[in-house]
Amino acid sequence: MKHFILGAVAAVCTTAAQAQNWDMPTPYGDATFHTQNIAQFADDVRDATGGSLDITLHSAGSLFPHAEIKGAIRNRSVPIGEFFLSRLSNEDLAYGIDSQPFVATSYDDAARLWTAQEPVITELLAAQGLMPLFSVPWPAQGLYTNGEIATVEGLNGLRFRAYNAALEEFATLAGAAPVQIEASDIPQAFSTGQVEAMITSPSTGVNSTAWDFVTHYTPINAWVPKNIVVVNQRMFDGLDADTQAAVLAAAEAAEIRGWEMSAAEAETMTATLAENGIAVYEPSAELVAGLQSIGATMLDNWNAAASDSAKAILETYNN
Ligand code: PCA
């Protein structure tokens, strides 16, 4: 009897030692399609491993603020997390090429750009003990303002919400005043007058109920930036082979599903903006020309500062 009990206790301990709970911080809210895609990824991993790897999502920056998520994965405060890829452009411009205006403006171009970018940033992240699992784009970025914007001069002097260094540079070149604001803080930033215009996706416009604080939206479709999900390599290596395979398979499915969700939202969320009273208009030729000229200046600046590996991404993409 005693042996039997001891045996049972040992069996329970073995299972307990093998089962793992992973906390996963993400920056965006639960209504965001990226978050929903990641929730499905976590479910897939849980199902495929019979619950032995249980990933708990902490959305909207609730566990770590956006700016700290990558560092938290690196120092193993958490094994896995999501962030906006081009936020790392201060480390190497290779991370930020998807946020340069008019480099890749369609999903096809964005997919080709990712094919060129992925091996380069995989190597950069590996040097920090990090491994990318999957990356998913936002719908192409559009312009939200009060009143229609006919030319770039119309942006002069506006307090402009920014989410990375490239958008800050863009706003500055347009004569606007950039203010860095997290996506979940957009409604408050507008209601308190901190900002009065922004460039973001129709998804983020809908998730932040943009009709409460702007009247006009134009799909300038200037860039297609991505989120990325990254795992700490040592934590991943600590999983048994079957669990590793389950994570990689779920990640591959999440990347495919996420790109499809993004393309679907580009249409449905633009329609939702209009249904809620936002005037959706096509940008004038003058506005597009002005934005393209800013993009050309930014690309010159990018090329002047980019590492060789960053420049190699553009060469691969352009050839
Ligand atoms: N939404 C995020 C990043 C790009 C996007 O479409 C944001 O506005 O912060």
Side-chain angles (χ1 to χ4, degrees):
M1 181 66 184
K2 199 171 167 193
H3 282 142
F4 174 75
I5 291 171
L6 285 176
V9 168
V12 168
C13 288
T14 315
T15 324
Q18 280 170 356
Q20 295 224 38
N21 288 302
W22 277 11
D23 287 313
M24 178 169 188
T26 71
Y28 304 100
D30 291 337
T32 308
F33 78 90
H34 287 281
T35 312
Q36 290 163 351
N37 188 37
I38 288 171
Q40 181 68 54
F41 162 77
D43 286 349
D44 287 353
V45 169
R46 201 176 297 113
D47 288 351
T49 62
S52 76
L53 181 56
D54 191 354
I55 297 175
T56 303
L57 208 53
H58 302 270
S59 59
S62 56
L63 188 59
F64 286 98
H66 195 174
E68 291 174 23
I69 291 177
K70 183 224 155 197
I73 310 165
R74 189 178 178 188
N75 69 23
R76 280 179 282 124
S77 297
V78 286
I80 188 170
E82 179 201 34
F83 51 87
F84 192 54
L85 180 59
S86 54
R87 283 187 74 114
L88 303 190
S89 64
N90 62 332
E91 295 183 18
D92 192 301
L93 288 175
Y95 293 111
I97 186 63
D98 67 12
S99 295
Q100 288 294 313
F102 304 108
V103 170
T105 59
S106 67
Y107 282 104
D108 284 350
D109 284 353
R112 281 197 307 112
L113 185 61
W114 176 226
T115 302
Q117 185 188 26
E118 184 175 13
V120 173
I121 63 120
T122 297
E123 203 180 318
L124 289 172
L125 290 169
Q128 302 186 27
L130 300 172
M131 177 170 78
L133 284 178
F134 61 93
S135 181
V136 170
W138 293 90
Q141 306 287 290
L143 175 64
Y144 295 76
T145 53
N146 278 301
E148 189 169 331
I149 298 294
T151 66
V152 164
E153 285 66 44
L155 300 174
N156 258 301
L158 293 182
R159 290 184 298 280
F160 208 95
R161 184 258 168 167
Y163 52 57
N164 67 6
L167 188 46
E168 203 167 307
E169 184 182 5
F170 181 93
T172 305
L173 287 168
V179 187
Q180 291 286 344
I181 306 280
E182 279 304 318
S184 37
D185 297 330
I186 289 173
Q188 204 198 346
F190 275 89
S191 68
T192 59
Q194 215 183 345
V195 295
E196 51 197 338
M198 66 178 173
I199 288 179
T200 186
S201 58
S203 302
T204 297
V206 169
N207 291 154
S208 52
T209 58
W211 45 88
D212 288 343
F213 46 80
V214 293
T215 57
H216 283 67
Y217 173 75
T218 183
I220 58 170
N221 296 342
W223 60 94
V224 181
K226 296 183 297 291
N227 287 357
I228 192 162
V229 168
V230 162
V231 67
N232 182 285
Q233 187 74 55
R234 261 170 73 181
M235 300 295 293
F236 182 81
D237 292 347
L239 301 171
D240 63 53
D242 286 349
T243 308
Q244 288 183 359
V247 170
L248 295 178
E252 201 181 322
E255 182 155 302
I256 294 167
R257 184 176 59 239
W259 283 69
E260 288 169 358
M261 290 171 94
S262 181
E265 287 226 343
E267 292 184 17
T268 56
M269 295 296 128
T270 304
T272 304
L273 292 174
E275 280 157 23
N276 283 280
I278 290 194
V280 178
Y281 63 101
E282 283 305 313
S284 69
E286 290 83 355
L287 178 59
V288 171
L291 296 173
Q292 282 175 341
S293 148
I294 291 175
T297 303
M298 286 178 65
L299 198 56
D300 285 348
N301 294 344
W302 190 92
N303 270 308
S307 62
D308 287 345
S309 54
K311 281 190 235 174
I313 299 172
L314 260 192
E315 270 156 40
T316 310
Y317 172 68
N318 286 329
N319 291 318

